[in-house]
Amino acid sequence: MAEVLEFLVPTGNGRTLLVLGLETNATEHALYLAFSAFGPLYSVRLHRNAAVAGPGYYALVKYYSTRDASRAQLACNRQPLFQKSALKVCLCTRQRPFPQQNLALNSHKCQELANHYLGFNSWSSRIVTLQDISGFEENEEEDSRALLASQRCKYLCIQELTIPQHSICARGVGVAETPVDPSQGFLTATRSAQKLAAQKALSDAFQKIVLVVLENGKVAVEFISPQEDLVDCLADEELKGLLQVTDLSFSQLNPEGEEEILSDFSMDGE
């Protein structure tokens, strides 16, 4: 059977293992080494036992794949692994009483997941445009002192993700805003905003594809971006230097700052 993996924070049943019986010298690094042998991990969290349970720890190990989590549970349950006493490893299958929000993976996690299933040299990315959009909300009546205190650096980035073997090309958009610290200067804020915008754009590009992992280990890639997504339809020449901000309010952006911005831009020079 095939399993579909999205570039989202893993949720739902069957992806998280509860590890009980960890001794006092257990570490997250040791847990990561033991359980990552069965597949890529999203997170490893080590927690101290409650006082009534005695000394030691328990851990939550979260996989992207339910198949990997199931394999790890069967192989590691009642095994000592990296300690003297055996561990108890259970699948967390308890339903949460409230719906979970699908959150995008950050760019680093996206790259880790892509490298595992597709290979380090199987994909590439490039920045199509990186544009300064600072200052369009400034009030001309503000005095120079107030303007300096409230000055922020804002950048828009469009980045292209390419997977040649699967004939996939997807573009993502990222917006970043950082305050200007007078003690560090405008250049530091500019670099920080540019870097963050590029990271968000790459993450947004990965949201437009899914991995289809077959039981034999083979992987297919599917493009899931909506057809009306302009950033994927326009040529580089139509994007570079042609984006102008009209009435974009950064307070309306979601926490990731990448989802609802395309409708607020106008394309000039066509």
Side-chain angles (χ1 to χ4, degrees):
M1 295 178 62
E3 182 174 14
V4 177
L5 301 182
E6 299 178 274
F7 288 85
L8 303 172
V9 175
T11 59
N13 292 330
R15 289 185 170 88
T16 303
L17 299 181
L18 173 63
V19 184
L20 303 172
L22 289 164
E23 298 173 356
T24 55
N25 60 348
T27 64
E28 290 185 351
H29 180 66
L31 286 161
Y32 182 88
L33 291 178
F35 286 95
S36 62
F38 301 92
L41 301 176
Y42 171 72
S43 65
V44 176
R45 296 289 182 265
L46 189 65
H47 303 276
R48 189 180 298 276
N49 288 339
V52 295
Y57 297 87
Y58 72 93
L60 294 173
V61 179
K62 180 173 288 190
Y63 286 87
Y64 294 100
S65 164
T66 56
R67 185 181 298 152
D68 293 341
S70 179
R71 289 173 50 241
Q73 190 275 329
L74 291 174
C76 299
N77 188 35
R78 302 189 183 281
Q79 299 296 322
L81 298 182
F82 47 80
Q83 62 181 35
K84 294 181 180 179
S85 58
L87 297 170
K88 182 177 181 180
V89 182
C90 311
L91 277 172
C92 295
T93 57
R94 184 177 178 180
Q95 284 277 4
R96 290 181 179 269
F98 53 87
Q100 295 180 335
Q101 183 180 4
N102 291 328
L103 300 176
L105 290 177
N106 62 42
S107 61
H108 178 68
K109 291 287 188 181
C110 287
Q111 292 175 71
E112 284 186 344
L113 195 60
N115 288 339
H116 177 83
Y117 284 104
L118 303 176
F120 286 91
N121 299 317
S122 62
W123 64 274
S124 62
S125 64
R126 68 182 182 93
I127 293 177
V128 177
T129 185
L130 183 62
Q131 185 167 338
D132 184 1
I133 56 174
S134 306
F136 70 92
E137 291 177 327
E138 292 175 3
N139 187 343
E140 295 181 356
E141 297 180 358
E142 293 183 17
D143 58 56
S144 58
R145 182 177 300 179
L147 182 61
L148 179 62
S150 62
Q151 191 174 15
R152 304 181 71 84
C153 185
K154 305 171 187 176
Y155 268 83
L156 166 81
C157 179
I158 297 178
Q159 192 160 176
E160 184 176 85
L161 170 68
T162 305
I163 309 175
Q165 184 177 356
H166 297 273
S167 301
I168 295 292
C169 182
R171 287 173 178 162
V173 180
V175 171
E177 177 182 8
T178 58
V180 178
D181 186 344
S183 65
Q184 296 183 351
F186 189 78
L187 182 58
T188 299
T190 297
R191 289 175 177 173
S192 178
Q194 289 176 340
K195 181 178 179 181
L196 185 56
Q199 290 172 344
K200 288 184 175 183
L202 182 58
S203 174
D204 188 52
F206 272 110
Q207 307 312 305
K208 298 180 179 181
I209 65 173
V210 296
L211 305 175
V212 182
V213 184
L214 304 179
E215 199 166 2
N216 60 7
K218 293 184 177 181
V219 179
V221 183
E222 295 292 335
F223 185 71
I224 59 172
S225 178
Q227 293 181 354
E228 63 272 14
D229 195 334
L230 294 178
V231 76
D232 284 314
C233 301
L234 296 176
D236 290 1
E237 292 74 15
E238 296 175 285
L239 290 172
K240 288 184 178 180
L242 301 181
L243 292 173
Q244 290 189 349
V245 179
T246 54
D247 295 320
L248 177 61
S249 173
F250 280 84
S251 63
Q252 297 175 353
L253 292 176
N254 62 30
E256 293 298 321
E258 305 162 347
E259 295 291 335
E260 302 171 356
I261 65 176
L262 289 181
S263 61
D264 295 307
F265 293 107
S266 62
M267 301 295 178
D268 296 338
E270 296 182 354

